[in-house]
Amino acid sequence: MKYLSPFFVFLLLACLFSSCSTQSWKDLFKDENSEERNKELMESFGAEEEVFEKFSENKSEKAEKPEKQARAQKKSDKREPVPKKAEKDLGEEQGVKVGQKKVVVKLTPKKKETPKPKPKPKPKPKLKKSSIKELPEDYPAKFKAINKKAQKVWDVYTPKFYVGENIFMDINYMGVSTGKIVLNTQENTTIGATPVYHAHARVKTSDYYRYLYELDDNIDSYVSKGSLLPVKFSLIQRESGQDIDDLQLFDLDKLKTYSFYQRVSDDKVKKKKEEKFTPKYFADPLYVLWFLRGLPMDEGKSFEIPIMNRGKVIVLKTRNEGLETIETEIGKKRAYRVSATTTYTGETLKSGEMTFWFSADERRIFLKFNAKIKIGSISGEIDKYEP
């Protein structure tokens, strides 16, 4: 079974188009070691060593964290010795008489506790300007127009990454419950020398549905904390009849994307490697969902978001439809409703009509979605939320 949609706007939706389902949330948290799979894929294409270094995850920062916490705890355990209490009835300020002798007792004045300063609100990360002063001669003219519009969108964007957050969603296809998906924000890490946010999604079929179709997907997006642009996107897809490895690397200084794609099916192997230009501002198929959460939700506002996928640009056009109250498994929620359509190579796709609902609070939790496709529609609603 192949995707019902020819575009790859949302990896989340693309997975759903495969009509997957899952038996329990617990199955969605296995570590499939995406980093090792990515390295194997790059090696099979003969990628250069500098590519490994620039786009490999550096976990040294994570490893040092427990040690820093231990040192901080040890330091806090060192307390100043408590001075012995002076004898009762001290009498004179500087001493008391014990028998015929005068014993001088030095009193240490009690230190005044200074009030702790109130924590300042975290400043919005400043966008790191591109180091490119002049665009290459062969840079696509259509990207220049995209850049002007997209810069205004990134200027008003505030990242909404909450480490440890898990969003569980039940999926329905044409009114029938077909699957579950989990979206989570993992620990911040480093890709090469670039500090990044790490978004992850997992989809997996259940035993009940496997006799029809089996799917197991791991999707990862790494987003630069400085530029708020994707650095690396990875899809490891295991499904009935085929295995797909899709790795996309984004060189933000050179405005280039390097994609490595491998599909294995029926003892056949299809491999493709591409190098293409990128716009200055873009999202990847998974990051775009986190990106929507961080945009202003004023009624009537509209945005155009370029999405880069395997060397091609998809433009997601959104419009804020205002507030409404919806019923969810986590309670009744006030929510922002956002409608969206997609364009691909200049043409609007019939399957590109979508609606999203986000909680009307600071976190902008992804609560619900609906997408019209060529055959019916797909919808999803939040089942559980872990902050």
mmCIF file of all heavy atoms in Angstrom, residues 1-20 173 203 213 215-219 233 235-239 242-244 246 261 263 309-310 351 373-375 378:
data_model
loop_
_atom_site.group_PDB
_atom_site.id
_atom_site.type_symbol
_atom_site.label_atom_id
_atom_site.label_comp_id
_atom_site.label_asym_id
_atom_site.label_seq_id
_atom_site.Cartn_x
_atom_site.Cartn_y
_atom_site.Cartn_z
ATOM 1 N N MET A 1 0.849 -1.193 0.000
ATOM 2 C CA MET A 1 0.000 0.000 0.000
ATOM 3 C C MET A 1 0.879 1.234 0.000
ATOM 4 O O MET A 1 1.802 1.356 0.784
ATOM 5 C CB MET A 1 -0.888 0.003 1.258
ATOM 6 C CG MET A 1 -1.848 1.188 1.302
ATOM 7 S SD MET A 1 -2.822 1.215 2.833
ATOM 8 C CE MET A 1 -3.796 -0.253 2.600
ATOM 9 N N LYS A 2 0.585 2.159 -0.867
ATOM 10 C CA LYS A 2 1.372 3.384 -0.944
ATOM 11 C C LYS A 2 0.560 4.543 -0.393
ATOM 12 O O LYS A 2 -0.635 4.442 -0.164
ATOM 13 C CB LYS A 2 1.763 3.656 -2.387
ATOM 14 C CG LYS A 2 2.716 2.595 -2.964
ATOM 15 C CD LYS A 2 3.128 2.954 -4.357
ATOM 16 C CE LYS A 2 4.074 1.906 -4.916
ATOM 17 N NZ LYS A 2 4.498 2.223 -6.281
ATOM 18 N N TYR A 3 1.209 5.670 -0.180
ATOM 19 C CA TYR A 3 0.540 6.848 0.324
ATOM 20 C C TYR A 3 -0.561 7.287 -0.634
ATOM 21 O O TYR A 3 -0.407 7.238 -1.848
ATOM 22 C CB TYR A 3 1.524 7.996 0.506
ATOM 23 C CG TYR A 3 2.538 7.765 1.576
ATOM 24 C CD1 TYR A 3 3.893 7.975 1.337
ATOM 25 C CD2 TYR A 3 2.138 7.317 2.827
ATOM 26 C CE1 TYR A 3 4.825 7.757 2.322
ATOM 27 C CE2 TYR A 3 3.067 7.099 3.820
ATOM 28 C CZ TYR A 3 4.403 7.315 3.563
ATOM 29 O OH TYR A 3 5.327 7.107 4.542
ATOM 30 N N LEU A 4 -1.661 7.729 -0.078
ATOM 31 C CA LEU A 4 -2.763 8.218 -0.896
ATOM 32 C C LEU A 4 -2.496 9.631 -1.379
ATOM 33 O O LEU A 4 -3.165 10.125 -2.261
ATOM 34 C CB LEU A 4 -4.067 8.195 -0.082
ATOM 35 C CG LEU A 4 -4.500 6.809 0.415
ATOM 36 C CD1 LEU A 4 -5.760 6.937 1.240
ATOM 37 C CD2 LEU A 4 -4.725 5.868 -0.749
ATOM 38 N N SER A 5 -1.527 10.292 -0.786
ATOM 39 C CA SER A 5 -1.228 11.669 -1.171
ATOM 40 C C SER A 5 0.104 11.732 -1.886
ATOM 41 O O SER A 5 1.080 11.154 -1.432
ATOM 42 C CB SER A 5 -1.168 12.560 0.067
ATOM 43 O OG SER A 5 -0.734 13.832 -0.288
ATOM 44 N N PRO A 6 0.216 12.464 -3.002
ATOM 45 C CA PRO A 6 1.476 12.559 -3.729
ATOM 46 C C PRO A 6 2.455 13.514 -3.089
ATOM 47 O O PRO A 6 3.602 13.570 -3.485
ATOM 48 C CB PRO A 6 1.038 13.065 -5.107
ATOM 49 C CG PRO A 6 -0.190 13.865 -4.822
ATOM 50 C CD PRO A 6 -0.872 13.155 -3.692
ATOM 51 N N PHE A 7 2.023 14.308 -2.123
ATOM 52 C CA PHE A 7 2.938 15.240 -1.484
ATOM 53 C C PHE A 7 3.285 14.765 -0.084
ATOM 54 O O PHE A 7 2.730 13.820 0.427
ATOM 55 C CB PHE A 7 2.335 16.648 -1.438
ATOM 56 C CG PHE A 7 1.096 16.737 -0.593
ATOM 57 C CD1 PHE A 7 1.184 17.162 0.722
ATOM 58 C CD2 PHE A 7 -0.133 16.408 -1.112
ATOM 59 C CE1 PHE A 7 0.053 17.239 1.498
ATOM 60 C CE2 PHE A 7 -1.266 16.487 -0.334
ATOM 61 C CZ PHE A 7 -1.177 16.904 0.964
ATOM 62 N N PHE A 8 4.201 15.433 0.512
ATOM 63 C CA PHE A 8 4.742 14.994 1.802
ATOM 64 C C PHE A 8 4.696 16.148 2.780
ATOM 65 O O PHE A 8 5.647 16.411 3.484
ATOM 66 C CB PHE A 8 6.192 14.565 1.570
ATOM 67 C CG PHE A 8 6.688 13.532 2.524
ATOM 68 C CD1 PHE A 8 5.997 12.362 2.698
ATOM 69 C CD2 PHE A 8 7.856 13.726 3.243
ATOM 70 C CE1 PHE A 8 6.469 11.401 3.556
ATOM 71 C CE2 PHE A 8 8.330 12.772 4.100
ATOM 72 C CZ PHE A 8 7.640 11.595 4.260
ATOM 73 N N VAL A 9 3.564 16.876 2.803
ATOM 74 C CA VAL A 9 3.487 18.086 3.600
ATOM 75 C C VAL A 9 3.694 17.776 5.061
ATOM 76 O O VAL A 9 4.539 18.335 5.718
ATOM 77 C CB VAL A 9 2.126 18.766 3.406
ATOM 78 C CG1 VAL A 9 2.029 19.990 4.280
ATOM 79 C CG2 VAL A 9 1.949 19.174 1.968
ATOM 80 N N PHE A 10 2.918 16.861 5.589
ATOM 81 C CA PHE A 10 3.091 16.473 6.974
ATOM 82 C C PHE A 10 3.462 15.006 7.010
ATOM 83 O O PHE A 10 2.724 14.174 6.512
ATOM 84 C CB PHE A 10 1.803 16.665 7.780
ATOM 85 C CG PHE A 10 1.604 18.055 8.270
ATOM 86 C CD1 PHE A 10 0.764 18.921 7.615
ATOM 87 C CD2 PHE A 10 2.279 18.514 9.386
ATOM 88 C CE1 PHE A 10 0.575 20.203 8.057
ATOM 89 C CE2 PHE A 10 2.088 19.793 9.827
ATOM 90 C CZ PHE A 10 1.241 20.642 9.166
ATOM 91 N N LEU A 11 4.602 14.700 7.581
ATOM 92 C CA LEU A 11 4.957 13.310 7.731
ATOM 93 C C LEU A 11 3.911 12.621 8.592
ATOM 94 O O LEU A 11 3.569 11.463 8.371
ATOM 95 C CB LEU A 11 6.346 13.195 8.382
ATOM 96 C CG LEU A 11 7.140 11.940 8.012
ATOM 97 C CD1 LEU A 11 6.531 10.708 8.563
ATOM 98 C CD2 LEU A 11 7.282 11.863 6.509
ATOM 99 N N LEU A 12 3.386 13.344 9.526
ATOM 100 C CA LEU A 12 2.331 12.799 10.373
ATOM 101 C C LEU A 12 1.166 12.321 9.521
ATOM 102 O O LEU A 12 0.714 11.188 9.627
ATOM 103 C CB LEU A 12 1.856 13.879 11.351
ATOM 104 C CG LEU A 12 0.568 13.597 12.125
ATOM 105 C CD1 LEU A 12 0.739 12.387 13.009
ATOM 106 C CD2 LEU A 12 0.174 14.801 12.939
ATOM 107 N N LEU A 13 0.674 13.197 8.641
ATOM 108 C CA LEU A 13 -0.464 12.837 7.798
ATOM 109 C C LEU A 13 -0.082 11.774 6.789
ATOM 110 O O LEU A 13 -0.864 10.882 6.490
ATOM 111 C CB LEU A 13 -0.996 14.077 7.081
ATOM 112 C CG LEU A 13 -1.606 15.137 7.990
ATOM 113 C CD1 LEU A 13 -2.097 16.313 7.156
ATOM 114 C CD2 LEU A 13 -2.734 14.568 8.813
ATOM 115 N N ALA A 14 1.139 11.854 6.285
ATOM 116 C CA ALA A 14 1.571 10.867 5.304
ATOM 117 C C ALA A 14 1.558 9.468 5.900
ATOM 118 O O ALA A 14 1.207 8.500 5.239
ATOM 119 C CB ALA A 14 2.973 11.203 4.797
ATOM 120 N N CYS A 15 1.940 9.365 7.164
ATOM 121 C CA CYS A 15 1.893 8.067 7.830
ATOM 122 C C CYS A 15 0.455 7.589 7.951
ATOM 123 O O CYS A 15 0.150 6.413 7.777
ATOM 124 C CB CYS A 15 2.514 8.167 9.224
ATOM 125 S SG CYS A 15 4.267 8.503 9.202
ATOM 126 N N LEU A 16 -0.419 8.515 8.255
ATOM 127 C CA LEU A 16 -1.820 8.157 8.421
ATOM 128 C C LEU A 16 -2.422 7.706 7.100
ATOM 129 O O LEU A 16 -3.323 6.878 7.065
ATOM 130 C CB LEU A 16 -2.609 9.358 8.954
ATOM 131 C CG LEU A 16 -2.094 9.933 10.260
ATOM 132 C CD1 LEU A 16 -2.931 11.131 10.658
ATOM 133 C CD2 LEU A 16 -2.115 8.888 11.350
ATOM 134 N N PHE A 17 -1.923 8.258 5.998
ATOM 135 C CA PHE A 17 -2.460 7.890 4.696
ATOM 136 C C PHE A 17 -2.186 6.417 4.401
ATOM 137 O O PHE A 17 -2.765 5.849 3.490
ATOM 138 C CB PHE A 17 -1.837 8.739 3.587
ATOM 139 C CG PHE A 17 -2.198 10.193 3.680
ATOM 140 C CD1 PHE A 17 -1.513 11.134 2.935
ATOM 141 C CD2 PHE A 17 -3.217 10.617 4.524
ATOM 142 C CE1 PHE A 17 -1.848 12.476 3.016
ATOM 143 C CE2 PHE A 17 -3.550 11.955 4.601
ATOM 144 C CZ PHE A 17 -2.867 12.883 3.855
ATOM 145 N N SER A 18 -1.306 5.804 5.156
ATOM 146 C CA SER A 18 -1.029 4.384 4.985
ATOM 147 C C SER A 18 -2.004 3.526 5.782
ATOM 148 O O SER A 18 -1.862 2.312 5.828
ATOM 149 C CB SER A 18 0.406 4.071 5.438
ATOM 150 O OG SER A 18 1.321 4.765 4.643
ATOM 151 N N SER A 19 -2.969 4.163 6.443
ATOM 152 C CA SER A 19 -3.999 3.460 7.209
ATOM 153 C C SER A 19 -3.392 2.551 8.260
ATOM 154 O O SER A 19 -3.533 1.336 8.222
ATOM 155 C CB SER A 19 -4.891 2.644 6.283
ATOM 156 O OG SER A 19 -5.512 3.460 5.342
ATOM 157 N N CYS A 20 -2.664 3.139 9.209
ATOM 158 C CA CYS A 20 -2.018 2.347 10.242
ATOM 159 C C CYS A 20 -2.818 2.393 11.535
ATOM 160 O O CYS A 20 -3.626 3.271 11.749
ATOM 161 C CB CYS A 20 -0.610 2.885 10.501
ATOM 162 S SG CYS A 20 -0.608 4.607 10.965
ATOM 163 N N TYR A 173 -10.095 7.067 9.898
ATOM 164 C CA TYR A 173 -10.144 7.183 8.440
ATOM 165 C C TYR A 173 -11.552 6.832 7.972
ATOM 166 O O TYR A 173 -12.036 5.728 8.205
ATOM 167 C CB TYR A 173 -9.122 6.246 7.803
ATOM 168 C CG TYR A 173 -9.191 6.197 6.291
ATOM 169 C CD1 TYR A 173 -9.046 7.358 5.541
ATOM 170 C CD2 TYR A 173 -9.406 4.987 5.630
ATOM 171 C CE1 TYR A 173 -9.113 7.324 4.155
ATOM 172 C CE2 TYR A 173 -9.473 4.946 4.249
ATOM 173 C CZ TYR A 173 -9.328 6.113 3.516
ATOM 174 O OH TYR A 173 -9.398 6.072 2.145
ATOM 175 N N VAL A 203 4.840 5.914 14.627
ATOM 176 C CA VAL A 203 3.608 5.261 14.188
ATOM 177 C C VAL A 203 3.884 3.772 14.065
ATOM 178 O O VAL A 203 4.938 3.374 13.560
ATOM 179 C CB VAL A 203 3.147 5.790 12.811
ATOM 180 C CG1 VAL A 203 1.777 5.247 12.458
ATOM 181 C CG2 VAL A 203 3.145 7.298 12.779
ATOM 182 N N TYR A 213 -2.060 -4.931 6.746
ATOM 183 C CA TYR A 213 -0.936 -4.056 6.419
ATOM 184 C C TYR A 213 -0.143 -3.773 7.687
ATOM 185 O O TYR A 213 -0.711 -3.549 8.752
ATOM 186 C CB TYR A 213 -1.440 -2.744 5.814
ATOM 187 C CG TYR A 213 -0.344 -1.922 5.193
ATOM 188 C CD1 TYR A 213 0.155 -2.262 3.941
ATOM 189 C CD2 TYR A 213 0.202 -0.839 5.861
ATOM 190 C CE1 TYR A 213 1.174 -1.527 3.363
ATOM 191 C CE2 TYR A 213 1.221 -0.100 5.288
ATOM 192 C CZ TYR A 213 1.703 -0.450 4.037
ATOM 193 O OH TYR A 213 2.719 0.270 3.476
ATOM 194 N N LEU A 215 2.983 -1.432 9.416
ATOM 195 C CA LEU A 215 3.801 -0.227 9.269
ATOM 196 C C LEU A 215 4.436 0.131 10.604
ATOM 197 O O LEU A 215 3.802 0.023 11.651
ATOM 198 C CB LEU A 215 2.947 0.931 8.760
ATOM 199 C CG LEU A 215 3.667 2.269 8.540
ATOM 200 C CD1 LEU A 215 3.141 2.959 7.293
ATOM 201 C CD2 LEU A 215 3.446 3.187 9.737
ATOM 202 N N ASP A 216 5.690 0.542 10.537
ATOM 203 C CA ASP A 216 6.423 0.970 11.734
ATOM 204 C C ASP A 216 7.340 2.112 11.306
ATOM 205 O O ASP A 216 8.323 1.903 10.603
ATOM 206 C CB ASP A 216 7.236 -0.197 12.287
ATOM 207 C CG ASP A 216 7.961 0.167 13.576
ATOM 208 O OD1 ASP A 216 7.838 1.325 14.022
ATOM 209 O OD2 ASP A 216 8.655 -0.695 14.139
ATOM 210 N N ASP A 217 6.999 3.337 11.710
ATOM 211 C CA ASP A 217 7.740 4.527 11.282
ATOM 212 C C ASP A 217 8.375 5.246 12.465
ATOM 213 O O ASP A 217 7.755 5.396 13.520
ATOM 214 C CB ASP A 217 6.816 5.530 10.578
ATOM 215 C CG ASP A 217 6.493 5.104 9.156
ATOM 216 O OD1 ASP A 217 6.928 4.005 8.759
ATOM 217 O OD2 ASP A 217 5.796 5.841 8.457
ATOM 218 N N ASN A 218 9.601 5.697 12.268
ATOM 219 C CA ASN A 218 10.289 6.600 13.198
ATOM 220 C C ASN A 218 10.668 7.854 12.433
ATOM 221 O O ASN A 218 11.329 7.770 11.385
ATOM 222 C CB ASN A 218 11.552 5.950 13.754
ATOM 223 C CG ASN A 218 11.266 5.071 14.952
ATOM 224 O OD1 ASN A 218 11.185 5.535 16.079
ATOM 225 N ND2 ASN A 218 11.080 3.775 14.695
ATOM 226 N N ILE A 219 10.253 9.020 12.924
ATOM 227 C CA ILE A 219 10.533 10.277 12.236
ATOM 228 C C ILE A 219 11.203 11.235 13.219
ATOM 229 O O ILE A 219 10.724 11.401 14.348
ATOM 230 C CB ILE A 219 9.251 10.919 11.682
ATOM 231 C CG1 ILE A 219 8.439 9.893 10.880
ATOM 232 C CG2 ILE A 219 9.588 12.114 10.807
ATOM 233 C CD1 ILE A 219 7.230 9.372 11.598
ATOM 234 N N PHE A 233 16.655 15.878 8.947
ATOM 235 C CA PHE A 233 15.359 15.194 8.983
ATOM 236 C C PHE A 233 15.588 13.727 8.649
ATOM 237 O O PHE A 233 16.304 13.399 7.698
ATOM 238 C CB PHE A 233 14.399 15.823 7.970
ATOM 239 C CG PHE A 233 13.123 15.045 7.785
ATOM 240 C CD1 PHE A 233 12.064 15.209 8.666
ATOM 241 C CD2 PHE A 233 12.992 14.140 6.735
ATOM 242 C CE1 PHE A 233 10.899 14.482 8.497
ATOM 243 C CE2 PHE A 233 11.828 13.420 6.558
ATOM 244 C CZ PHE A 233 10.773 13.594 7.444
ATOM 245 N N LEU A 235 13.608 9.813 8.276
ATOM 246 C CA LEU A 235 12.456 8.908 8.268
ATOM 247 C C LEU A 235 12.974 7.487 8.105
ATOM 248 O O LEU A 235 13.662 7.184 7.125
ATOM 249 C CB LEU A 235 11.501 9.242 7.120
ATOM 250 C CG LEU A 235 10.478 8.156 6.754
ATOM 251 C CD1 LEU A 235 9.479 7.945 7.893
ATOM 252 C CD2 LEU A 235 9.754 8.489 5.463
ATOM 253 N N ILE A 236 12.663 6.637 9.076
ATOM 254 C CA ILE A 236 12.969 5.215 8.959
ATOM 255 C C ILE A 236 11.633 4.495 8.939
ATOM 256 O O ILE A 236 10.924 4.441 9.948
ATOM 257 C CB ILE A 236 13.849 4.728 10.124
ATOM 258 C CG1 ILE A 236 15.192 5.448 10.077
ATOM 259 C CG2 ILE A 236 14.045 3.222 10.061
ATOM 260 C CD1 ILE A 236 16.102 5.131 11.231
ATOM 261 N N GLN A 237 11.276 3.958 7.782
ATOM 262 C CA GLN A 237 9.945 3.393 7.567
ATOM 263 C C GLN A 237 10.042 1.904 7.255
ATOM 264 O O GLN A 237 10.743 1.493 6.343
ATOM 265 C CB GLN A 237 9.257 4.126 6.416
ATOM 266 C CG GLN A 237 7.846 3.653 6.152
ATOM 267 C CD GLN A 237 7.179 4.461 5.060
ATOM 268 O OE1 GLN A 237 7.792 5.367 4.485
ATOM 269 N NE2 GLN A 237 5.943 4.154 4.772
ATOM 270 N N ARG A 238 9.339 1.121 8.045
ATOM 271 C CA ARG A 238 9.274 -0.317 7.828
ATOM 272 C C ARG A 238 7.810 -0.678 7.620
ATOM 273 O O ARG A 238 6.995 -0.511 8.527
ATOM 274 C CB ARG A 238 9.856 -1.071 9.028
ATOM 275 C CG ARG A 238 11.320 -0.705 9.323
ATOM 276 C CD ARG A 238 12.225 -1.171 8.205
ATOM 277 N NE ARG A 238 13.610 -0.720 8.387
ATOM 278 C CZ ARG A 238 14.154 0.287 7.740
ATOM 279 N NH1 ARG A 238 13.431 0.992 6.893
ATOM 280 N NH2 ARG A 238 15.415 0.605 7.923
ATOM 281 N N GLU A 239 7.468 -1.172 6.419
ATOM 282 C CA GLU A 239 6.080 -1.492 6.147
ATOM 283 C C GLU A 239 5.994 -2.728 5.274
ATOM 284 O O GLU A 239 7.001 -3.210 4.748
ATOM 285 C CB GLU A 239 5.373 -0.323 5.480
ATOM 286 C CG GLU A 239 5.968 0.113 4.157
ATOM 287 C CD GLU A 239 5.190 1.262 3.533
ATOM 288 O OE1 GLU A 239 5.419 2.406 3.951
ATOM 289 O OE2 GLU A 239 4.360 0.999 2.655
ATOM 290 N N GLN A 242 8.025 -3.306 1.840
ATOM 291 C CA GLN A 242 9.123 -2.394 1.546
ATOM 292 C C GLN A 242 9.683 -1.755 2.812
ATOM 293 O O GLN A 242 8.978 -1.574 3.802
ATOM 294 C CB GLN A 242 8.676 -1.297 0.583
ATOM 295 C CG GLN A 242 7.628 -0.352 1.130
ATOM 296 C CD GLN A 242 7.287 0.754 0.156
ATOM 297 O OE1 GLN A 242 7.799 0.829 -0.958
ATOM 298 N NE2 GLN A 242 6.400 1.650 0.567
ATOM 299 N N ASP A 243 10.964 -1.436 2.748
ATOM 300 C CA ASP A 243 11.653 -0.689 3.793
ATOM 301 C C ASP A 243 12.191 0.594 3.164
ATOM 302 O O ASP A 243 12.804 0.552 2.092
ATOM 303 C CB ASP A 243 12.813 -1.491 4.386
ATOM 304 C CG ASP A 243 12.340 -2.676 5.211
ATOM 305 O OD1 ASP A 243 11.141 -2.708 5.553
ATOM 306 O OD2 ASP A 243 13.169 -3.567 5.482
ATOM 307 N N ILE A 244 11.989 1.719 3.843
ATOM 308 C CA ILE A 244 12.451 3.005 3.313
ATOM 309 C C ILE A 244 13.319 3.714 4.348
ATOM 310 O O ILE A 244 12.952 3.796 5.524
ATOM 311 C CB ILE A 244 11.259 3.905 2.936
ATOM 312 C CG1 ILE A 244 10.516 3.320 1.729
ATOM 313 C CG2 ILE A 244 11.730 5.323 2.614
ATOM 314 C CD1 ILE A 244 9.259 4.076 1.352
ATOM 315 N N ASP A 246 15.054 7.453 4.632
ATOM 316 C CA ASP A 246 15.054 8.776 3.994
ATOM 317 C C ASP A 246 15.759 9.751 4.931
ATOM 318 O O ASP A 246 15.269 10.038 6.021
ATOM 319 C CB ASP A 246 13.613 9.209 3.738
ATOM 320 C CG ASP A 246 13.513 10.573 3.062
ATOM 321 O OD1 ASP A 246 14.568 11.129 2.695
ATOM 322 O OD2 ASP A 246 12.384 11.081 2.906
ATOM 323 N N TYR A 261 18.138 8.631 -0.191
ATOM 324 C CA TYR A 261 16.893 7.868 -0.171
ATOM 325 C C TYR A 261 17.165 6.440 -0.621
ATOM 326 O O TYR A 261 17.808 6.208 -1.658
ATOM 327 C CB TYR A 261 15.875 8.521 -1.101
ATOM 328 C CG TYR A 261 14.550 7.795 -1.190
ATOM 329 C CD1 TYR A 261 13.536 8.016 -0.273
ATOM 330 C CD2 TYR A 261 14.317 6.878 -2.225
ATOM 331 C CE1 TYR A 261 12.319 7.354 -0.366
ATOM 332 C CE2 TYR A 261 13.109 6.214 -2.328
ATOM 333 C CZ TYR A 261 12.111 6.454 -1.396
ATOM 334 O OH TYR A 261 10.916 5.793 -1.493
ATOM 335 N N ARG A 263 15.064 2.588 -0.957
ATOM 336 C CA ARG A 263 13.829 1.805 -0.851
ATOM 337 C C ARG A 263 14.129 0.366 -1.244
ATOM 338 O O ARG A 263 14.618 0.096 -2.352
ATOM 339 C CB ARG A 263 12.744 2.382 -1.759
ATOM 340 C CG ARG A 263 11.429 1.622 -1.750
ATOM 341 C CD ARG A 263 10.394 2.365 -2.590
ATOM 342 N NE ARG A 263 9.161 1.626 -2.697
ATOM 343 C CZ ARG A 263 8.860 0.796 -3.690
ATOM 344 N NH1 ARG A 263 9.735 0.608 -4.673
ATOM 345 N NH2 ARG A 263 7.695 0.170 -3.727
ATOM 346 N N ASN A 309 11.272 19.107 1.165
ATOM 347 C CA ASN A 309 11.234 17.661 1.241
ATOM 348 C C ASN A 309 11.883 17.042 0.006
ATOM 349 O O ASN A 309 11.409 17.214 -1.109
ATOM 350 C CB ASN A 309 9.793 17.157 1.350
ATOM 351 C CG ASN A 309 9.752 15.652 1.524
ATOM 352 O OD1 ASN A 309 10.341 15.109 2.439
ATOM 353 N ND2 ASN A 309 9.077 14.972 0.611
ATOM 354 N N ARG A 310 13.039 16.394 0.229
ATOM 355 C CA ARG A 310 13.781 15.703 -0.830
ATOM 356 C C ARG A 310 14.010 16.594 -2.047
ATOM 357 O O ARG A 310 13.752 16.225 -3.173
ATOM 358 C CB ARG A 310 13.067 14.412 -1.205
ATOM 359 C CG ARG A 310 13.082 13.378 -0.085
ATOM 360 C CD ARG A 310 12.274 12.153 -0.425
ATOM 361 N NE ARG A 310 12.775 11.526 -1.641
ATOM 362 C CZ ARG A 310 12.113 10.569 -2.309
ATOM 363 N NH1 ARG A 310 10.931 10.189 -1.890
ATOM 364 N NH2 ARG A 310 12.638 10.032 -3.385
ATOM 365 N N SER A 351 -5.953 17.209 -2.602
ATOM 366 C CA SER A 351 -5.827 16.542 -1.307
ATOM 367 C C SER A 351 -5.153 17.418 -0.265
ATOM 368 O O SER A 351 -4.745 16.943 0.781
ATOM 369 C CB SER A 351 -5.031 15.248 -1.472
ATOM 370 O OG SER A 351 -3.796 15.521 -2.092
ATOM 371 N N ILE A 373 -8.749 14.128 1.607
ATOM 372 C CA ILE A 373 -7.853 13.504 0.640
ATOM 373 C C ILE A 373 -8.680 13.034 -0.554
ATOM 374 O O ILE A 373 -9.895 13.262 -0.616
ATOM 375 C CB ILE A 373 -7.077 12.331 1.271
ATOM 376 C CG1 ILE A 373 -8.049 11.311 1.883
ATOM 377 C CG2 ILE A 373 -6.121 12.832 2.326
ATOM 378 C CD1 ILE A 373 -7.372 10.097 2.457
ATOM 379 N N LYS A 374 -8.036 12.398 -1.514
ATOM 380 C CA LYS A 374 -8.733 11.992 -2.727
ATOM 381 C C LYS A 374 -9.858 11.006 -2.440
ATOM 382 O O LYS A 374 -10.877 10.993 -3.127
ATOM 383 C CB LYS A 374 -7.739 11.386 -3.727
ATOM 384 C CG LYS A 374 -6.801 12.419 -4.339
ATOM 385 C CD LYS A 374 -5.880 11.785 -5.358
ATOM 386 C CE LYS A 374 -4.983 12.831 -6.005
ATOM 387 N NZ LYS A 374 -4.071 12.231 -7.000
ATOM 388 N N ILE A 375 -9.643 10.163 -1.436
ATOM 389 C CA ILE A 375 -10.667 9.193 -1.066
ATOM 390 C C ILE A 375 -11.065 9.455 0.379
ATOM 391 O O ILE A 375 -10.381 9.029 1.313
ATOM 392 C CB ILE A 375 -10.155 7.745 -1.215
ATOM 393 C CG1 ILE A 375 -9.631 7.528 -2.631
ATOM 394 C CG2 ILE A 375 -11.258 6.748 -0.903
ATOM 395 C CD1 ILE A 375 -8.976 6.186 -2.844
ATOM 396 N N ILE A 378 -9.357 12.069 6.625
ATOM 397 C CA ILE A 378 -8.672 11.531 7.804
ATOM 398 C C ILE A 378 -8.793 12.551 8.920
ATOM 399 O O ILE A 378 -8.653 13.758 8.692
ATOM 400 C CB ILE A 378 -7.186 11.261 7.501
ATOM 401 C CG1 ILE A 378 -7.043 10.090 6.535
ATOM 402 C CG2 ILE A 378 -6.418 10.951 8.768
ATOM 403 C CD1 ILE A 378 -5.625 9.844 6.097
#
